[in-house]
Amino acid sequence: MNVPSPRRLQYGYLLEIPIMIMVGGAVVATLFFHLPPVGQKVLVSGMALPLLFCLYYVIVAPGWMADNEHLKPTLRLLAFLLLTAMIGTGVSIFVLGE
């Protein structure tokens, strides 16, 4: 029976995450200054959701990892929650600010 190696099974792993972030960043950078202030706030808060999804996928649910010395699930969840709090605070300040 021909079983592929773990490296072959993970070929291209997480490639979609940086692509999604780059496309989202390009959209925000292109549209941000052409929108009225309300549109800017909607754009930034709307882009925060896919960013948080990507961070969750990368940090909390990483799947296979190359080394055996990775963070425990509790620490990964704590790191994600801290990043979520920081991003949420920044977006809230931008949206609720003048």
Side-chain angles (χ1 to χ4, degrees), residues 11 13 20 23 44 51 56 78 83:
Y11 184 73
Y13 181 65
M20 286 175 57
V23 168
V44 168
L51 177 65
Y56 177 83
L78 180 63
L83 280 171

Side-chain angles (χ1 to χ4, degrees), residues 40-50 91 94-95:
Q40 292 174 348
K41 293 176 182 185
V42 169
L43 182 67
V44 168
S45 59
M47 187 55 202
L49 294 175
V91 169
F94 177 75
V95 169

Side-chain angles (χ1 to χ4, degrees), residues 32-83:
F32 186 79
F33 294 108
H34 298 288
L35 293 173
V38 174
Q40 292 174 348
K41 293 176 182 185
V42 169
L43 182 67
V44 168
S45 59
M47 187 55 202
L49 294 175
L51 177 65
L52 290 176
F53 172 75
C54 291
L55 287 176
Y56 177 83
Y57 187 69
V58 169
I59 296 172
V60 178
W64 176 82
M65 298 180 99
D67 59 346
N68 292 331
E69 307 257 340
H70 54 276
L71 294 175
K72 295 181 180 180
T74 308
L75 292 175
R76 290 194 313 248
L77 183 61
L78 180 63
F80 171 71
L81 291 176
L82 288 172
L83 280 171

